Amino acid sequence: MSTIRIYKAKNEPVLKYLKGSKERKMVVKSYNEMFNSKIDIPLFIGSEKILTNDRKLILPPHDYKNSIGTYSQANENHVKHAIKNLLENKKSWSETPWEKRCDIFLKAADLISNKYRSKITAGTMIGQSKNIFQAEIDAACEFIDFLRFNVAYLTEIYNEQPVNGEGKSNNLEYRSLEGFVYAITPFNFTAIGGNLCASAALMGNVVLWKPSDNQIYTAKITMDIFREAGLPDGIINLITGDPKMISDIALSHPEFSGLHFTGSTSVFRDLWKKIGNNINLYRDYPRIVGETGGKDFIFCHPTADIDTTSTAIIRGAFEYQGQKCSAASRIYIPNSISDNLINKVIDETKTIKMGSPIDFNNFMTAVIHAGAFERISKYIDYAKSSNECEILHGGNYDDSVGYFVEPTIILTRNHQFKTMKEEIFGPVVTLYVYDDKNWEEMLDIVDNTSEYALTGAFISQDEESIKIALNKLRYSAGNFYVNDKPSGAVVGQQPFGGCRASGTDDKAGSKLNLLRWVSPRLVSRTHNPPTSYPYDYMD
Ligand code: NAD
């Protein structure tokens, strides 16, 4: 293969949506139009858009009595048909020149950046209850960045070639996987939904995409964008319905070649078990990539700056209602600064407004669905009834209109308290105050408290302490932030993923991830082949 052109990607600038700005007016217009109309979302199989009789309602979490449409539920035949259709298109797609595949996804990025920006942003505000800023950094910027940086990484990967030996030319052909890839995606990022299928498809794979029921509204917009960008039918087929039924069929297919999953740890473990049990059925050893839960920490060293720390806690814990896998949810505070810091966090949290995402004064909106509301309120009730902690702020919840949970701050005396260990995935943060002189021993406790190891932050103005923390917390987080919140990874700058129970650490938005979706073939060509068997030493 000849040396290919390297594509350089740049991060999409984040729009500010200031009062009176054009972008703000456009999003408000899209929001109002979309919120006041109804849509019926089909299954996407090849060129067919199938509306089934079995439908579920799409309900905005902040106003769940106002249905904005329905989405179709697949039956077993639909799933089998979707896989069969993908496999029929496999050969032509994997043989499509890589430049063409790149052009399609670059065009998709441009469509999101321009024509579809207000629609996909407003859709994320409506369907997933993100405020305008959270919707912009996800559905517009992160999604665009994934698409453009993946193209850049593809060109770097394709350029990585072995050396030629004497009289031999050697070439690595980055083939797609032989069967199909199954992408299962979570509710909390429009960008993750799009990226998990687009990254595998870019590398020449066909993909069965099962988005979250609670992201289906923007998954449909994503499919429209891919199609308009020129993605042929039947390269990414979108199926919604009973996740267990869909997965049982996909994971027992002999041509299942890879799982690209983001979601909770328990679901990923179940899927891994199923794949293990079915291993004799497959032609390939399937690639298994999973980014899962987190119990992300902020550790404040005694030299931590109070304003930096309180901002990291509030943004880290309460942005998008704490529903980021990277959300800060356990905070370690030295006794010497605890009064000042905690008072500041409480005072600032009191100013947070919560309500509909279309009211731009709101920093927080609703949590995603009734199940999340119930799970989070149970944790709050547990804290209310415990004698090991007190609730310093919040603790109320109300689902009369939408699934609203107040930003809640718990102070515990037990660093092993339930809410210091388990993923809550809501706007609940737990503080623990430690004795300054024990700060180094506390790092061991941070390391051992939870089964997760996704993100963490260390706040300090002392260089030596940063070195010690990096060393002691080497395996405590896949993304480690110094003097900032543990969330908000930017594609191309902070490749994202964790280890231990948090996932396979294949770093979404990086070359490492794309490498999982190829099966390289080495082609070695000998120009003057030997014509007799004896070697020189035998003379
Ligand atoms: P979830 O596990 O409930 O759902 C994720 C996906 O799995 C959805 O598409 C869902 O329909 C599907 N699913 C559910 N049950 C299944 C089953 N039995 N078989 C097959 N598929 C099934 O997660 P969620 O609520 O959508 O998202 C929140 C979780 O995702 C949190 O745990 C969060 O930490 C994690 N997350 C992790 C990352 C990361 O990069 N590490 C990013 C985003 C979210």
Coordinates of all heavy atoms in Angstrom, one line a residue, residues 184-188 192 210-212 243-244 247 261-265 267 271 291-294 325 423 425 454 496 502, ligand 1:
I184 N -24.1 -1.4 21.6 CA -25.1 -1.2 22.6 C -24.8 0.1 23.3 O -23.7 0.2 23.9 CB -25.3 -2.3 23.6 CG1 -25.5 -3.7 22.9 CG2 -26.4 -2.0 24.6 CD1 -25.6 -4.8 23.9
T185 N -25.6 1.1 23.3 CA -25.2 2.4 23.8 C -26.2 2.9 24.9 O -27.3 2.5 25.0 CB -25.2 3.4 22.6 OG1 -26.5 3.5 22.0 CG2 -24.1 3.0 21.6
P186 N -25.6 3.9 25.7 CA -26.4 4.3 26.9 C -27.2 5.6 26.6 O -27.1 6.1 25.5 CB -25.2 4.7 27.8 CG -24.2 5.3 26.9 CD -24.3 4.5 25.7
F187 N -28.0 6.0 27.6 CA -28.8 7.2 27.3 C -28.1 8.5 27.4 O -28.5 9.5 26.9 CB -30.0 7.2 28.4 CG -29.6 7.7 29.7 CD1 -29.5 9.1 30.0 CD2 -29.2 6.8 30.7 CE1 -29.1 9.5 31.3 CE2 -28.8 7.3 32.0 CZ -28.8 8.7 32.2
N188 N -27.0 8.6 28.1 CA -26.5 9.9 28.6 C -25.7 10.7 27.6 O -25.4 11.8 27.9 CB -25.8 9.7 30.0 CG -24.5 8.9 29.9 OD1 -24.3 8.1 28.9 ND2 -23.7 9.1 30.9
I192 N -21.9 9.4 22.2 CA -21.5 8.0 22.4 C -22.3 7.1 21.5 O -21.8 6.2 20.9 CB -21.6 7.6 23.9 CG1 -20.6 8.4 24.8 CG2 -21.3 6.1 24.1 CD1 -20.7 8.1 26.3
K210 N -28.1 -1.0 18.9 CA -29.2 -1.0 19.8 C -29.0 0.2 20.8 O -28.2 0.1 21.8 CB -29.3 -2.3 20.6 CG -30.7 -2.5 21.1 CD -30.8 -3.0 22.5 CE -30.5 -2.1 23.6 NZ -31.3 -0.9 23.8
P211 N -29.6 1.3 20.5 CA -29.4 2.5 21.4 C -30.3 2.3 22.6 O -31.1 1.4 22.7 CB -29.9 3.7 20.5 CG -30.9 3.1 19.6 CD -30.5 1.6 19.3
S212 N -30.1 3.2 23.6 CA -30.9 3.1 24.8 C -32.3 3.6 24.4 O -32.4 4.6 23.6 CB -30.3 4.1 25.8 OG -31.2 4.5 26.8
P243 N -33.9 -5.5 25.2 CA -32.5 -5.6 25.0 C -32.0 -7.0 25.2 O -31.0 -7.5 24.6 CB -31.9 -4.7 26.1 CG -33.0 -4.4 27.0 CD -34.3 -4.6 26.3
K244 N -32.7 -7.8 26.1 CA -32.2 -9.2 26.3 C -32.5 -10.0 25.1 O -31.6 -10.8 24.7 CB -33.0 -9.7 27.6 CG -32.4 -11.0 28.1 CD -33.0 -11.4 29.4 CE -32.6 -12.9 29.6 NZ -32.9 -13.8 28.6
S247 N -30.1 -9.0 22.3 CA -28.7 -9.5 22.6 C -28.6 -11.0 22.5 O -27.6 -11.5 22.0 CB -28.3 -9.0 24.0 OG -28.4 -7.6 24.1
F261 N -19.8 -1.7 23.6 CA -20.8 -1.4 24.6 C -20.4 -0.2 25.5 O -19.2 -0.1 25.9 CB -20.9 -2.7 25.6 CG -21.8 -2.4 26.7 CD1 -23.2 -2.7 26.6 CD2 -21.4 -2.0 28.0 CE1 -24.1 -2.5 27.6 CE2 -22.3 -1.8 29.0 CZ -23.6 -2.0 28.9
T262 N -21.3 0.6 25.8 CA -21.2 1.6 26.9 C -22.5 1.5 27.7 O -23.6 1.6 27.1 CB -20.9 3.0 26.4 OG1 -19.7 3.0 25.7 CG2 -20.7 4.0 27.6
G263 N -22.3 1.4 29.0 CA -23.5 1.3 29.9 C -23.1 0.9 31.3 O -21.9 1.0 31.7
S264 N -24.0 0.2 32.0 CA -23.7 -0.1 33.4 C -22.8 -1.4 33.5 O -22.9 -2.3 32.6 CB -25.0 -0.3 34.2 OG -25.8 -1.2 33.6
T265 N -22.1 -1.5 34.6 CA -21.2 -2.6 34.8 C -22.0 -4.0 34.8 O -21.5 -5.0 34.2 CB -20.5 -2.4 36.1 OG1 -19.7 -1.2 36.0 CG2 -19.6 -3.6 36.4
V267 N -24.8 -4.9 33.4 CA -25.2 -5.4 32.0 C -24.0 -5.9 31.2 O -24.1 -6.9 30.6 CB -25.9 -4.2 31.3 CG1 -26.2 -4.6 29.8 CG2 -27.3 -3.9 31.9
L271 N -23.3 -9.6 29.5 CA -23.1 -9.8 28.1 C -21.8 -10.6 27.9 O -21.7 -11.5 27.1 CB -23.0 -8.4 27.4 CG -24.3 -7.6 27.4 CD1 -24.0 -6.2 26.9 CD2 -25.3 -8.3 26.4
E291 N -17.2 0.2 28.1 CA -17.0 1.3 29.0 C -18.2 1.4 30.0 O -19.3 1.6 29.5 CB -16.7 2.6 28.3 CG -15.5 2.6 27.4 CD -14.2 2.3 28.2 OE1 -14.1 2.5 29.4 OE2 -13.3 1.7 27.6
T292 N -17.9 1.2 31.3 CA -19.0 1.0 32.2 C -19.1 2.0 33.3 O -18.7 3.2 33.1 CB -19.0 -0.4 32.6 OG1 -17.8 -0.7 33.3 CG2 -19.2 -1.4 31.5
G293 N -19.5 1.6 34.5 CA -19.8 2.5 35.6 C -18.6 3.2 36.2 O -17.4 2.9 35.9
G294 N -18.9 4.1 37.1 CA -17.8 4.8 37.8 C -18.2 5.2 39.2 O -19.4 5.3 39.5
C325 N -20.8 9.2 33.6 CA -20.1 8.1 34.2 C -18.9 8.7 35.0 O -18.4 8.1 35.9 CB -19.6 7.2 33.1 SG -18.8 8.0 31.8
E423 N -22.2 3.3 42.7 CA -22.5 4.3 41.7 C -24.0 4.7 41.9 O -24.9 3.8 41.9 CB -22.3 3.8 40.3 CG -22.6 4.8 39.2 CD -22.4 4.3 37.8 OE1 -23.0 3.3 37.4 OE2 -21.7 5.0 37.0
F425 N -25.4 7.5 40.1 CA -25.8 8.1 38.8 C -26.9 9.1 39.0 O -27.9 9.1 38.3 CB -26.1 7.0 37.9 CG -25.6 7.3 36.5 CD1 -24.2 7.4 36.3 CD2 -26.4 7.4 35.4 CE1 -23.7 7.7 35.1 CE2 -25.9 7.7 34.1 CZ -24.5 7.8 34.0
L454 N -12.7 4.7 37.1 CA -13.0 5.4 35.8 C -12.2 6.8 35.8 O -11.3 6.9 35.1 CB -14.5 5.6 35.6 CG -14.9 6.2 34.3 CD1 -14.3 5.4 33.1 CD2 -16.4 6.2 34.1
F496 N -10.8 8.7 26.6 CA -11.6 8.4 27.8 C -11.8 6.9 28.0 O -12.2 6.2 27.1 CB -12.9 9.1 27.7 CG -13.7 9.1 28.9 CD1 -13.4 10.0 29.9 CD2 -14.7 8.1 29.1 CE1 -14.1 9.9 31.1 CE2 -15.4 8.0 30.3 CZ -15.1 9.0 31.3
S502 N -14.8 -0.6 35.7 CA -15.3 0.5 34.9 C -15.1 0.3 33.4 O -15.5 1.1 32.5 CB -14.5 1.8 35.2 OG -14.9 2.3 36.5
Ligands
NAD1 P1 -27.7 0.7 31.1 O1 -26.7 -0.4 31.4 O2 -29.0 0.6 31.8 O3 -28.0 0.6 29.5 C1 -27.0 0.7 28.5 C2 -27.5 -0.1 27.3 O4 -27.6 -1.4 27.6 C3 -28.9 0.4 26.8 O5 -28.9 0.4 25.4 C4 -29.8 -0.7 27.4 O6 -31.0 -0.8 26.7 C5 -28.9 -1.9 27.3 N1 -29.3 -3.0 28.1 C6 -29.9 -3.0 29.3 N2 -30.2 -4.2 29.8 C7 -29.6 -5.0 28.9 C8 -29.5 -6.5 28.8 N3 -30.0 -7.2 29.8 N4 -28.9 -7.0 27.7 C9 -28.4 -6.2 26.7 N5 -28.5 -4.8 26.8 C10 -29.1 -4.3 27.8 O7 -27.0 2.1 31.3 P2 -27.6 3.5 31.1 O8 -28.6 3.8 32.2 O9 -28.1 3.8 29.7 O10 -26.3 4.4 31.2 C11 -25.7 4.7 32.5 C12 -24.6 3.7 32.8 O11 -23.6 3.8 31.7 C13 -23.8 4.2 34.0 O12 -23.4 3.0 34.8 C14 -22.6 4.9 33.5 O13 -21.5 5.0 34.4 C15 -22.3 4.1 32.2 N6 -21.6 5.0 31.3 C16 -20.3 4.7 31.2 C17 -19.5 5.5 30.3 C18 -18.0 5.2 30.1 O14 -17.5 5.8 29.2 N7 -17.4 4.5 31.0 C19 -20.1 6.5 29.5 C20 -21.5 6.7 29.6 C21 -22.2 5.9 30.5

